[in-house]
Amino acid sequence: MKAVRFHEFGSSAVLRYEDVDRPIPGIGQVLVRVAATSFNPVDDHIRAGVLAEMIPITFPYVPGIDLAGTVAELGADVTGPEVGDRVVAMLPLDAAGGAAEYVLAPADSLAPAPRTTELVDAAALPLTGLAAWQTVFELAELKPGQTVLVNGAGGAVGSLVVQLAVDAGAHVTAVDAPQHADRLRGYGADRVVGPLALAAGPAAVGGPFQIVVNHVRVSPQELAQLTNYVADGGVAASTAGQIPEDPARGVRSANLWVRSDGAQLAELVAKVDAGKLRVHVAAHRPVAELAAVHADAGAGRLSGKTVVLAP
């Protein structure tokens, strides 16, 4: 079968499209015929080696953490999935493998694919959806009626955070560039504003807020300014660096390390099928072009979530 692999850390040039052996499922594993994976920034970080201590990998490594596909074969002791089922999953960060014709997935990471979207587009959901879910409901512990500021709301994770918070009954202020405004209003955000002028303070955008979620990489000094946007007793949750706490005001801070969770992914799929959650796909690219996708990401040329189609 065909797959993209890298045999050493480095730039996008280390990615090779080559012939590899089709994997055989072991105990608790499912072999999935891949329809698509998608690009996530962590793919770039793993390939470059900057996460080598946190995510030890074995060479050669097949990237592609997101998975949408069809069950092809079951390993021993697998119950639930059946051959022919359409499924989605977030694959293990240290093994991944989605950029291939077939991939092994832990059975407990699988969820039924959405019925209301194309299977390939479902590949945009797993990692970003789980990151949004875990940010909103685990880190921030969001409750109905709370006020939420989402900085970087137009991005892949931020868009889902906005929708999950709105669906949970929160009052959401979405912050991003003007080209995302109409889409964010369509998600139900109460207020949509352009990039934050942090020095202006929270009152300029209707704050402070009980929850601040940040997806924008800024300087440590700017992260510290975001603390001021959190109301007394509130929480700052970030996927882009630690926002300092303010114990005197009861402001706590939390960072996300996303994990695979089949049950949470099934909840996200149910929201997609119920029309409560929309996944925005900016582009589709063939897996043979994955090195170019990585290069475009590194140069800031990706316009949004890119789905990578299997051979």
Side-chain angles (χ1 to χ4, degrees):
M1 70 173 193
K2 288 289 189 180
V4 175
R5 304 194 296 185
F6 59 89
H7 300 252
E8 60 185 346
F9 294 125
S11 72
S12 60
V14 302
L15 292 167
R16 305 178 191 172
Y17 188 51
E18 53 194 14
D19 292 310
V20 303
D21 292 334
R22 174 171 158 170
I24 298 171
I27 296 172
Q29 291 182 317
V30 174
L31 181 70
V32 178
R33 175 65 169 97
V34 180
T37 183
S38 81
F39 176 81
N40 293 287
V42 69
D43 292 311
D44 179 86
H45 303 334
I46 292 171
R47 188 214 68 239
V50 298
L51 297 176
E53 291 187 7
M54 299 176 69
I55 308 174
I57 66 171
T58 301
F59 295 125
Y61 177 93
V62 180
I65 297 160
D66 286 321
L67 168 65
T70 305
V71 174
E73 189 178 338
L74 305 178
D77 299 336
V78 171
T79 58
E82 296 183 358
V83 172
D85 285 354
R86 291 161 35 109
V87 295
V88 289
M90 175 184 160
L91 298 168
L93 296 176
D94 61 351
E101 288 185 63
Y102 290 87
V103 65
L104 296 176
D108 60 3
S109 71
L110 298 176
R115 301 183 306 275
T116 56
T117 64
E118 295 292 334
L119 183 57
V120 293
D121 287 343
L125 177 65
L127 187 148
T128 53
L130 289 167
W133 183 283
Q134 291 163 20
T135 297
V136 170
F137 298 117
E138 295 183 353
L139 299 187
E141 299 177 353
L142 182 141
K143 298 174 180 60
Q146 289 188 309
T147 56
V148 181
L149 176 77
V150 184
N151 191 31
V157 179
S159 294
L160 298 175
V161 167
V162 169
Q163 293 176 76
L164 289 174
V166 168
D167 184 56
H171 304 289
V172 177
T173 295
V175 180
D176 215 310
Q179 64 262 32
H180 301 293
D182 288 343
R183 180 162 56 90
L184 292 169
R185 291 189 189 97
Y187 293 156
D190 294 87
R191 178 181 303 190
V192 178
V193 299
L196 289 179
L198 287 167
V205 289
F209 303 87
Q210 290 164 299
I211 296 171
V212 170
V213 179
N214 178 58
H215 301 296
V216 179
R217 295 211 168 271
V218 295
S219 69
Q221 293 77 17
E222 290 170 311
L223 284 170
Q225 286 180 296
L226 278 172
T227 306
N228 300 326
Y229 284 71
V230 186
D232 294 357
V235 57
S238 178
T239 61
Q242 183 85 27
I243 297 174
E245 297 186 331
D246 186 348
R249 296 197 297 113
V251 172
R252 66 180 180 89
S253 179
N255 276 345
L256 177 71
W257 185 257
V258 64
R259 70 182 191 283
S260 181
D261 188 309
Q264 289 180 357
L265 187 52
E267 295 266 12
L268 288 158
V269 167
K271 288 184 180 296
V272 171
D273 283 339
K276 297 178 178 179
L277 195 64
R278 285 178 276 166
V279 179
H280 180 67
V281 175
H284 299 86
R285 304 274 289 274
V287 71
E289 295 181 8
L290 187 59
V293 172
H294 278 237
D296 288 345
R301 293 191 295 263
L302 287 190
S303 60
K305 189 65 170 174
T306 297
V307 164
V308 180
L309 306 175

